Amino acid sequence: MLENELPNDFNADIFIGITYVPIEDNYYARRLSNNRVVFSYFEMAEIISNKNLPLENLLLRMLYSYSLIYMRYGNRMPLQSENTNFAHDDTRGCIYDMNGIKSDVVYSLDKPIICDECTTKLSEKKFRIIR
Ligand SMILES: [Zn+2]
């Protein structure tokens, strides 16, 4: 189980693990306890390469979205089991697209946005989005 496989003792605000093997329930990102996150390029590398996008774009997108989540939740990463509402089901090219269909991720890998709804939610938490 990922919870036990990744280091728990690290000198940073967030621990980010990156792998190429499938992770639980075939998600491409999971939040773990103790401010740890894991990303998997399993299937994602092929999806991204097929669109001729750099693989790094997924990492950057995840870093943006998880950094804001961390700050939004008062400098902590909410547990996967917590009832969070930062991701939306529909695909808008936003860094908070849920991407229930993995291949939809390509829409938020090239010049991703923070959509109006997410901007409003972040503003309520005192973030100022500069476009
Ligand atoms: Zn959004």
Side-chain angles (χ1 to χ4, degrees), residues 35-114:
N35 298 322
R36 295 174 301 163
V37 179
V38 63
F39 305 150
S40 174
Y41 272 98
F42 176 72
E43 295 176 339
M44 301 306 278
E46 192 180 350
I47 290 167
I48 297 164
S49 299
N50 284 345
K51 289 287 179 183
N52 293 318
L53 293 167
L55 291 179
E56 298 78 22
N57 283 21
L58 179 63
L59 184 58
L60 290 171
R61 177 201 190 264
M62 304 311 278
L63 291 174
Y64 290 138
S65 60
Y66 280 105
S67 300
L68 289 172
I69 289 167
Y70 177 81
M71 293 191 291
R72 189 170 150 186
Y73 281 81
N75 291 346
R76 70 176 192 90
M77 199 64 74
L79 294 173
Q80 198 71 48
S81 57
E82 281 180 57
N83 191 14
T84 56
N85 69 344
F86 47 79
H88 39 74
D89 290 339
D90 49 329
T91 299
R92 304 171 186 167
C94 174
I95 62 171
Y96 292 109
D97 287 355
M98 179 90 73
N99 300 135
I101 299 166
K102 275 184 166 183
S103 55
D104 276 0
V105 76
V106 299
Y107 298 108
S108 52
L109 292 186
D110 185 22
K111 299 187 180 74
I113 61 162
I114 298 177

